[in-house]
Amino acid sequence: MNCIFCKITKGEIPTNFHYEGERVIAFADLNPQAPTHLLLVPKSHYENAAELAKGDPNALVEIFSAAEQLAREFNLEGYRTVFNTGAAAGQSVFHAHLHLLGGRAFS
Ligand code: AMP
Ligand code: ZN
């Protein structure tokens, strides 16, 4: 499978990890939409958040606890978390990932 996030989680594409745990990694989004824009990515490949919830629920738990930890480390007062599901909703990488955005005002 030619999945860019699988390659990143396996270390095949050199990437600076801001978090690495048992099931999850986090790294900066290439095209940031906010001063802090991180992607929290399960090491196991599932197409979207719902599939991840069914297949590896513990990874979802780790994703949200890592998000809280990263928000503290990046001194975010508040933060936005987003899972896009389906191309119509803007999903472009079909390996589940949580966007963590902060450092600006959100409407
Ligand atoms: P989505 O559109 O929700 O599927 O989000 C995919 C995100 O991955 C986009 O915000 C891209 O900017 C980001 N992205 C794609 N390739 C890379 C990469 N190699 N490193 C970091 N971020 C990436
Ligand atoms: Zn993958």
Side-chain angles (χ1 to χ4, degrees):
M1 199 190 332
N2 194 26
C3 172
I4 182 122
F5 286 180
C6 279
K7 288 182 182 157
I8 290 174
T9 58
K10 288 177 188 150
E12 290 169 16
I13 297 174
T15 304
N16 180 34
F17 293 168
H18 290 285
Y19 171 89
E20 181 168 16
E22 189 185 343
R23 291 183 158 79
V24 175
I25 59 163
F27 51 88
D29 195 295
L30 210 55
N31 181 26
Q33 304 299 308
T36 297
H37 187 173
L38 302 173
L39 300 174
L40 289 92
V41 178
K43 292 179 180 176
S44 48
H45 180 98
Y46 292 94
E47 185 168 320
N48 57 47
E51 292 302 315
L52 179 63
K54 284 183 257 177
D56 190 0
N58 288 330
L60 265 184
V61 172
E62 188 179 333
I63 279 175
F64 280 102
S65 64
E68 185 190 36
Q69 182 182 315
L70 287 161
R72 233 180 293 118
E73 285 171 18
F74 280 78
N75 292 313
L76 303 181
E77 205 179 316
Y79 55 94
R80 178 168 288 186
T81 48
V82 178
F83 274 111
N84 294 322
T85 298
Q91 188 177 6
S92 61
V93 177
F94 292 86
H95 177 136
H97 53 279
L98 182 75
H99 295 261
L100 168 62
L101 301 130
R104 67 167 166 85
F106 293 94
S107 57

